Amino acid sequence: MFISCSTSPRHRKFLIVVIGVTVMVCYLFYVQSTWGTAPRERGTPPALFTHPRIVVTRPANPSSSTCSPVQDFVFVKTHKTGSSTMSNILLRFTELHGLNQLFAEYPAGTEYKSLERKVYPPAPAPSHRYNAFIMHAGYNPAFLLTKLPGHTRFFTMMRHPVSRYISAFWFYKQYKNYVTAPSDFEKAIQRHLSDNGQYLTSTTSCLSCSHSVNSIAVDLGFNFWQYMNAANRTEFMSNFLRERDKELDLVLISEYYDLSLVLLMRRYCWSFEDIIYLKSLESTTKPTISDATKKDILEFQRVDADIYNHYNKTFWKLVGEEEGIHNDVVKFKEYNRQALKKCIKGKTEGRLNTWKYELTSEGLRDFNCLAMNTRVLPFARLLEIRNQNLDIDIPQEKGTLGLDDVNKIREQVLGS
């Protein structure tokens, strides 16, 4: 096509417009075909899923026009509240954003132990500072703030005290102290409650109660001796909650898991991909308990019940402040379903009577899929070994993380 001198002015103007539109269309096709192929910036997590990202409501705080992702945090890990699933989410988050988890010297078991008595190696490169603490430990925010930045946020997760007690008593097989057959599980609970009739009346001792009785209070550093001997127990509890309110930035509720995750995402300015999950340590069977026994459990768990009731109210207050959050929950459920469809091929019964998942061929090549399918303790051990440059070989089970996987993703994220 060309424009000759003999072409009329009207025709020349028409042809110029046609050529201009053609050039613009070609340019737009070029931009669309190259969209998203630009080099990934240093520190940006790699794209892990091939399905389209779902647009979520932004910003996290509706009153603000911008937000910055929270990258310095402590998860106060509680027992049998879905905390292993949450810890897996957070371990992946720190890895995929090039952050450093605080671990003591390998093997860094801190459950029910004093953090001050542990030795902590220097934080790894490139930042040479710690960003997060995620594992079970004795409650001690003051100490953790000597290792983490002063603006570090603390959050935790709770579960209704009755369902949490039943879950723990079943998972840790404490019923075997009273009966032999799992079918007599409710009888075991009744005997357990009867045997501890003086608990918090004349003694703080509780038989076969580890992880199961008032465990949320234990994990939050509650002093049962002072409570039992307090002149006014209601006032003691109020003072305790007032102190924890100052220390805890956010308290999530296990019964509303997806809503809790989306609330966390919004308030911490994260993304759907940051909070995808596969349930960890999910029991293959769940016992049924009568309402009468549940009522007895609730009375036995009265300390945890007071704490749970307080934070259940604060949870719903925060949810009420988040405009559009329920729409985001619907979107997130679909996003997570797509992610698991890519990762998981099937499941069978594994150790501790929990589900064991088999990954798809695509999932076996994806860090997020492998990481979601790795239990928290071996996941943490791999990071300890990597961070401390130890020559230790941990056998890798098919479909879970190995040392090469965590090294590779670290190099990829940090761009080294």
Side-chain angles (χ1 to χ4, degrees), residues 62-249:
S63 65
S64 172
S65 59
T66 60
C67 65
S68 300
V70 171
Q71 296 191 328
D72 300 307
F73 57 86
V74 169
F75 176 54
V76 181
K77 195 169 189 287
T78 50
H79 288 83
K80 300 308 294 175
T81 61
S83 64
S84 290
T85 299
M86 179 63 76
S87 292
N88 185 285
I89 292 170
L90 299 175
L91 288 172
R92 283 184 284 117
F93 178 88
T94 54
E95 284 300 285
L96 293 170
H97 290 269
L99 307 176
N100 292 325
Q101 309 88 352
L102 174 63
F103 292 117
E105 284 188 344
Y106 178 92
T110 53
E111 187 172 13
Y112 291 138
K113 294 181 180 177
S114 172
L115 290 171
E116 297 100 321
R117 298 180 182 178
K118 294 288 183 178
V119 177
Y120 300 89
S127 68
H128 297 292
R129 75 179 184 93
Y130 290 115
N131 303 98
F133 183 76
I134 296 166
M135 308 305 289
H136 279 304
Y139 187 78
N140 195 337
F143 175 78
L144 288 172
L145 287 175
T146 67
K147 300 294 183 181
L148 299 164
H151 58 259
T152 295
R153 298 195 191 183
F154 289 71
F155 73 99
T156 189
M157 177 164 276
M158 296 185 183
R159 180 178 179 180
H160 192 280
V162 173
S163 63
R164 204 207 59 75
Y165 168 93
I166 294 170
S167 177
F169 206 67
W170 177 261
F171 179 81
Y172 295 111
K173 301 187 186 304
Q174 291 170 320
Y175 65 88
K176 290 189 174 182
N177 293 324
Y178 299 94
V179 299
T180 55
S183 58
D184 292 328
F185 180 72
E186 185 165 1
K187 291 181 180 179
I189 289 178
Q190 293 166 345
R191 289 183 57 186
H192 180 237
L193 301 181
S194 176
D195 283 358
N196 289 287
Q198 298 303 309
Y199 174 60
L200 294 186
T201 300
S202 59
T203 179
T204 57
S205 177
C206 189
L207 302 174
S208 300
C209 291
S210 178
H211 304 310
S212 58
V213 177
N214 290 324
S215 183
I216 294 295
V218 174
D219 290 331
L220 292 181
F222 191 85
N223 190 315
F224 288 91
W225 177 257
Q226 290 180 2
Y227 173 78
M228 188 181 72
N229 292 283
N232 188 323
R233 291 187 177 186
T234 301
E235 182 180 355
F236 184 93
M237 176 61 73
S238 296
N239 292 336
F240 171 81
L241 293 172
R242 192 176 300 112
E243 289 300 313
R244 294 303 174 266
D245 285 345
K246 296 176 185 177
E247 297 161 344
L248 296 172
D249 173 65

